[in-house]
Amino acid sequence: MARIAVIGAGTGAMAAAARLAVAGDKVTVYERSASYGGSLGRHEHEGFVFDTGPGLLHLPAVQRDLFVKTGKESLEQCVTLTQVDPASRHLFADGTAVSLPNASRAGVASALDAALGAGAGERWTGFLERARDAWDRSRRPLLEEPLRADHQVLGRDPYPALRQRRLLRTRQAATVAEIGAWELADTRLAALLDGYALAYGLDPRTAPASAALLPYMEQTFGSWYVMGGMRELARAVYERCVARRVEFAFGAEVVRVVEKDGRAAGVELTGGEVAEADRVVLGVRPHADLVPGQQVWGADDVTVRGGSVPGRFTVLLSLRGGREADAVHRTVVHSADGAAEQEAVFGGRVAAHPTVTVLRPDDPATRPDGAHEAVTLSAVVAPQGPVEWTDPEVRRRFADVLVERAEAAVPGLRERILHTEVRTPAETEAETGAEGGAVPPPALAGAQGAYLHPGNLTRLPGLYLAGGWSHPGGGLAHAGMSGTLVAGLVVEGDGFRGSR
């Protein structure tokens, strides 16, 4: 029985912990905060309940596999999953609105034709067909295997971009923005695609064309909500860990990975206490202080991405008045100037006209009664540091901007507000320790490997990486995959190449 120390209680780290415990290891999770869940936080106020992290679940097969492999009760026996339909409503700058059905490619095409004009659905469907090819080409090496030693092969973009005649020569789209301009040929379809990239913290101007996988995954496998709030998913994973006899130490901050005889041998906590271990799983953002004097995080040119990764600005609204019967769970109010928004977010400034996501779950557990409603507004923003998100005036002004823009989705919103709670990258940094409150994006192929994450297997024997800051990147599905890969590497050895 090996002793495993897991640093952090995010969902990716807990997924690794549960799988390792099932394999017979003695697992202890050390979490700096008072609770589990990482980004899957919760805020409660006078009967109103809000998610403070992801609001929807995509690719639920990752979570289902975790529960199948770690116990008798399935995911659906531990939480109540509901498909969100329509999956999303989109409001564009010209006043056009379109509601996209959940997991129905034909339905999406019909909705786009009806809202944007004949041919829009066909162009989007053609794009998704090419995205499917990219998915088929990259799914296993990008998502289902540990990062390969020859990971440079992932530097080639798997998206089969159409050949375009541009400036007297033939070119192919290499970025999300170029797909929108050259292949979709409609500013609203381009804004729709840009919105998927931006929601994951990716700059459409530079994100590789392979980011087409993101709308493909959502529109193919669907969007799901966990009744009671997404925090319930974290609770279920935590309880599965406890049932498998994983031990948790909360309020236990790890300051250093202990090294002995050239391998990881435990963790040192604040105050100097050392907990010995045979292996260590790092489930938080890697930084040099954790393993002084060594560069261990990845293979060759795959490094930890810097502080330019954006964060999230969230406004939690307690409202008087009940939710209308035809209200949509998720509405995206697109920016009137996407280029200016991207320049601001990725240039370290506050956007004047941000893209705002409005979440209105039809869930009695989120509100005191039927005469009230809990609504969450969010936008992708520059991290803490370039913008001083602790400044009360900066926070107030930007929250007002989000409320104003969200009124397009919820008419009369401002008059219904009973209470407002604002959360910024500054709160994210304080609670999770992520520099600048940055939220990790998913790994992507292409761009010469610039969008890959450090591999799960590090250069220090006995030290592994799990969670959103490691391969295959951020998001609930990707973080869950990282836990699967780490468990495989620990149990089966460094030659593990993923489940088949």
Side-chain angles (χ1 to χ4, degrees):
M1 176 185 292
R3 298 167 300 172
I4 311 290
V6 178
I7 305 172
T11 54
M14 288 197 294
R19 290 176 182 271
L20 288 168
V22 167
D25 293 321
K26 179 176 174 56
V27 184
T28 303
V29 177
Y30 299 90
E31 168 57 47
R32 69 193 292 270
S33 71
S35 187
Y36 55 82
S39 65
L40 285 178
R42 171 179 286 170
H43 176 77
E44 300 183 26
H45 176 78
E46 296 183 352
F48 293 91
V49 177
F50 305 87
D51 288 317
T52 59
L56 291 171
L57 178 66
H58 305 298
L59 209 60
V62 175
Q63 307 300 332
R64 290 189 177 114
D65 182 71
L66 171 64
F67 280 78
V68 166
K69 299 293 175 55
T70 59
K72 294 181 179 180
E73 293 182 321
S74 68
L75 174 64
E76 279 80 356
Q77 289 175 293
C78 299
V79 298
T80 301
L81 287 179
T82 60
Q83 276 195 301
V84 176
D85 204 3
S88 56
R89 182 171 181 243
H90 296 265
L91 305 180
F92 299 105
D94 67 352
T96 305
V98 60
S99 291
L100 303 181
N102 198 351
S104 171
R105 298 259 297 275
V108 167
S110 296
L112 290 173
D113 277 339
L116 309 186
E122 182 179 2
R123 289 195 298 277
W124 185 261
T125 297
F127 156 70
L128 283 186
E129 289 292 331
R130 294 187 290 279
R132 183 188 64 182
D133 289 344
W135 168 264
D136 291 340
R137 294 174 182 178
S138 62
R139 176 173 62 94
R140 182 159 184 83
L142 183 67
L143 302 177
E144 297 177 352
E145 295 181 351
L147 194 64
R148 297 160 50 169
D150 62 341
H151 61 269
Q152 290 83 0
V153 299
L154 289 171
R156 295 194 291 270
D157 199 311
Y159 179 78
L162 298 177
R163 294 186 178 277
Q164 305 278 337
R165 191 72 176 171
R166 298 281 164 180
L167 299 177
L168 303 180
R169 62 192 181 99
T170 300
R171 297 185 61 186
Q172 291 175 281
T175 67
V176 168
E178 288 175 348
I179 291 175
W182 300 354
E183 296 184 4
L184 297 178
D186 183 300
T187 56
R188 296 160 298 183
L189 288 178
L192 177 62
L193 177 57
D194 284 357
Y196 281 104
L198 187 63
Y200 283 92
L202 297 165
D203 186 346
R205 301 168 302 173
T206 57
S210 63
L213 295 179
L214 302 175
Y216 172 80
M217 285 192 297
E218 180 173 324
Q219 294 192 9
T220 300
F221 304 112
S223 298
W224 302 75
Y225 173 71
V226 180
M227 296 301 290
M230 293 296 293
R231 172 73 176 177
E232 287 298 291
L233 177 61
R235 175 197 56 76
V237 177
Y238 168 73
E239 290 181 353
R240 178 55 54 90
C241 285
V242 172
R244 301 281 77 82
R245 292 186 167 83
V246 174
E247 296 183 0
F248 284 80
F250 295 110
E253 183 173 6
V254 173
V255 297
R256 184 172 66 91
V257 174
V258 175
E259 180 186 348
K260 183 178 180 181
D261 299 329
R263 63 177 294 111
V267 297
E268 180 183 339
L269 306 177
T270 301
E273 178 187 353
V274 172
E276 295 182 350
D278 300 301
R279 295 178 179 84
V280 177
V281 177
L282 182 63
V284 299
R285 190 174 190 178
H287 59 84
D289 292 343
L290 281 170
V291 189
Q294 291 206 44
Q295 174 60 43
V296 302
W297 306 125
D300 302 327
D301 59 340
V302 179
T303 58
V304 180
R305 298 183 69 189
S308 61
V309 179
R312 304 290 187 273
F313 188 103
T314 306
V315 181
L316 312 176
L317 298 175
S318 303
L319 304 183
R320 63 171 62 88
R323 181 183 187 276
E324 312 95 274
D326 60 350
V328 174
H329 187 114
R330 175 178 54 166
T331 300
V332 181
V333 183
H334 291 271
S335 174
D337 191 342
E341 177 185 23
Q342 294 155 26
E343 186 67 34
V345 170
F346 297 96
R349 302 190 307 278
V350 179
H353 301 284
T355 296
V356 178
T357 298
V358 182
L359 296 180
R360 306 178 67 185
D362 186 10
D363 184 353
T366 65
R367 53 190 184 251
D369 52 50
H372 295 84
E373 183 182 8
V375 171
T376 300
L377 318 179
S378 64
V380 176
V381 295
Q384 168 70 8
V387 175
E388 187 49 71
W389 290 116
T390 59
D391 185 320
E393 185 60 19
V394 172
R395 296 162 66 96
R396 184 194 63 78
R397 287 201 305 266
F398 197 65
D400 282 348
V401 169
L402 263 62
V403 170
E404 179 181 357
R405 292 187 52 71
E407 288 198 290
V410 189
L413 174 63
R414 193 178 296 275
E415 289 70 31
R416 296 176 57 194
I417 297 175
L418 294 171
H419 180 78
T420 301
E421 183 75 21
V422 173
R423 295 177 58 84
T424 77
E427 281 75 31
T428 304
E429 181 177 51
E431 293 175 5
T432 69
E435 179 185 355
V439 177
L444 297 173
Q448 291 75 55
Y451 289 81
L452 298 178
H453 290 253
N456 313 105
L457 188 65
T458 75
R459 292 193 184 100
L460 180 64
L463 177 63
Y464 305 83
L465 303 185
W469 292 108
S470 65
H471 179 75
L476 286 174
H478 291 72
M481 293 174 193
S482 77
T484 303
L485 296 176
V486 165
L489 287 166
V490 172
V491 173
E492 298 188 24
D494 295 356
F496 172 71
R497 298 314 308 160
S499 301
R500 294 187 181 274

